[in-house]
Amino acid sequence: MSLLLRCVIVSLVVCTSRAYTGYTRGHCQPVPQFCRNLTNGNGYALMRLPNAFNNYQLNETVEAIKPWQLLVGQCHAGLKLFLCAIYAPICLHDKESGKEVIIKLCRSFCSRVKASCEPVMNSYNYSWPTHDAFNCSQYKDDLMCVREDFVVAPTTRPPVVLTDTDVACNPKLNSDDVLRAKACNSHLAFRADVTSIREAKGSFALLRFKRHKKSGKQRLTRNSRKAGKKVTDSLDRALIPKHRCRNLTSRVKIDEAYLIIVDKKQGKKTVRYIVKAIVPWNKRHRRLTRKSNVCKGR
């Protein structure tokens, strides 16, 4: 096995050969906690900044990775290493030339992560990022790329389902971008005061509400204007999946205003409206309740 190949396989970053040692001052920083102990052998400790997203500081990198954390464990086992190779790229330089050694993802690794994780993202109205760093076609498979077999074999643990906890009512899981995606892919978004909550047996709870008069021009994507008016005038209740909002009665308060996003489910004999998001009302939510350019191009 060549010296170069041994260097890549053993550590990815801290190469024990004479060719790659040390790091460039002012450009390398310790990797975030999220990226430690990821590889077989010695985990890499230093990342090169700025990265492809123009993050210059450790805290910027940490914040950039945060939105992905809920997806970890739900698709490809190498997702963490994949993300770290992009957001916290390995920091190496050639001791003899003093030049940085760029180690990118393997194209095959990138393609497998995308094939595994994109469907999960799409099921919750997220799209695979359009940034060049996520474009697998730009990478190639060679001896100096980050491969999926570098990943430490995970210990066995019970699976965690992305859809489980609080995705409907937790504001932290419903940022403006998430709410926009949900509104643009749902039947109706409106402002309403919750009037009652009934937690019956089964997987759903019944939510009753009184819509605000100023919330009458809801965005209706799947109905004609006439049909949409009928729905707007009559809709005063909806079902909310219990597993998507734990401790519902403590999270949702009676007689308080909320942004409510519902999806219409047409059964053989009945129509059900399912809550996809319910978060405390904020003035900035108003644009999601009206027909506007907010969903243009989606």
Side-chain angles (χ1 to χ4, degrees), residues 81-125:
L81 181 59
F82 168 84
L83 294 171
C84 291
I86 294 175
Y87 286 98
I90 298 165
C91 191
L92 281 176
H93 77 282
D94 189 318
K95 185 178 180 180
E96 295 180 3
S97 67
K99 295 182 179 179
E100 290 186 351
V101 179
I102 306 299
I103 302 179
K104 296 184 177 181
L105 286 165
C106 295
R107 177 183 291 188
S108 57
F109 182 23
C110 178
S111 298
R112 290 187 184 104
V113 171
K114 181 179 179 181
S116 174
C117 298
E118 187 176 25
V120 180
M121 297 171 67
N122 290 343
S123 68
Y124 292 97
N125 303 319

Side-chain angles (χ1 to χ4, degrees), residues 3-297:
L3 174 63
L4 179 59
L5 182 57
R6 285 202 303 269
C7 290
V8 176
I9 292 179
V10 170
S11 77
L12 283 177
V13 232
V14 184
C15 187
T16 57
S17 74
R18 295 179 180 179
Y20 303 108
T21 58
Y23 62 94
T24 307
R25 292 183 180 276
H27 294 277
C28 293
Q29 297 187 28
V31 296
Q33 182 68 38
F34 181 84
C35 297
R36 296 176 188 173
N37 303 317
L38 292 182
T39 59
N40 292 304
N42 298 321
Y44 73 85
L46 299 171
M47 63 179 176
R48 184 183 71 254
L49 293 180
N51 58 20
F53 307 91
N54 290 320
N55 299 140
Y56 283 81
Q57 302 295 331
L58 173 62
N59 64 331
E60 294 176 332
T61 304
V62 171
E63 289 301 313
I65 292 176
K66 274 185 179 180
W68 291 92
Q69 293 182 5
L70 283 174
L71 193 61
V72 173
Q74 317 313 317
C75 52
H76 197 286
L79 177 61
K80 288 184 72 172
L81 181 59
F82 168 84
L83 294 171
C84 291
I86 294 175
Y87 286 98
I90 298 165
C91 191
L92 281 176
H93 77 282
D94 189 318
K95 185 178 180 180
E96 295 180 3
S97 67
K99 295 182 179 179
E100 290 186 351
V101 179
I102 306 299
I103 302 179
K104 296 184 177 181
L105 286 165
C106 295
R107 177 183 291 188
S108 57
F109 182 23
C110 178
S111 298
R112 290 187 184 104
V113 171
K114 181 179 179 181
S116 174
C117 298
E118 187 176 25
V120 180
M121 297 171 67
N122 290 343
S123 68
Y124 292 97
N125 303 319
Y126 292 96
S127 300
W128 187 256
T130 57
H131 192 282
D132 285 345
F134 292 87
N135 180 5
C136 298
S137 64
Q138 70 159 314
Y139 302 118
K140 60 182 180 180
D141 291 324
D142 56 30
L143 294 180
M144 288 292 289
C145 64
V146 180
R147 302 198 310 269
E148 57 189 312
D149 59 2
F150 290 133
V151 180
V152 176
T155 56
T156 303
R157 61 179 181 179
V160 179
V161 182
L162 182 65
T163 60
D164 260 355
T165 308
D166 298 337
V167 294
C169 62
N170 188 339
K172 292 182 179 179
L173 301 180
N174 286 280
S175 64
D176 287 350
D177 287 341
V178 172
L179 289 173
R180 178 175 178 267
K182 288 183 177 181
C184 292
N185 290 278
S186 297
H187 183 75
L188 200 60
F190 53 92
R191 181 186 181 188
D193 290 340
V194 174
T195 57
S196 70
I197 301 170
R198 190 177 74 188
E199 292 200 65
K201 293 181 179 179
S203 57
F204 291 95
L206 178 65
L207 195 70
R208 293 179 183 270
F209 41 78
K210 181 179 180 180
R211 290 178 294 101
H212 284 233
K213 292 182 179 179
K214 292 184 179 180
S215 187
K217 296 181 179 180
Q218 286 91 354
R219 186 196 60 77
L220 297 166
T221 58
R222 303 175 188 173
N223 300 278
S224 66
R225 187 171 298 179
K226 182 177 180 180
K229 187 176 187 300
K230 182 178 180 180
V231 171
T232 301
D233 289 342
S234 62
L235 182 61
D236 63 355
R237 70 195 68 186
L239 299 173
I240 182 167
K242 292 180 181 179
H243 68 278
R244 294 190 182 184
C245 189
R246 305 288 188 185
N247 302 317
L248 178 63
T249 54
S250 63
R251 285 184 175 275
V252 179
K253 306 298 182 183
I254 303 300
D255 296 328
E256 291 191 10
Y258 290 87
L259 169 69
I260 302 177
I261 299 174
V262 299
D263 213 5
K264 181 180 179 181
K265 301 296 183 182
Q266 180 71 54
K268 292 183 178 180
K269 297 182 179 180
T270 59
V271 176
R272 298 189 301 176
Y273 294 93
I274 310 299
V275 175
K276 294 183 69 175
I278 175 168
V279 294
W281 176 259
N282 188 294
K283 289 182 179 179
R284 67 177 182 274
H285 295 151
R286 187 176 293 114
R287 64 193 181 93
L288 299 177
T289 68
R290 300 175 178 177
K291 291 182 179 180
S292 66
N293 293 328
V294 69
C295 299
K296 222 174 190 180

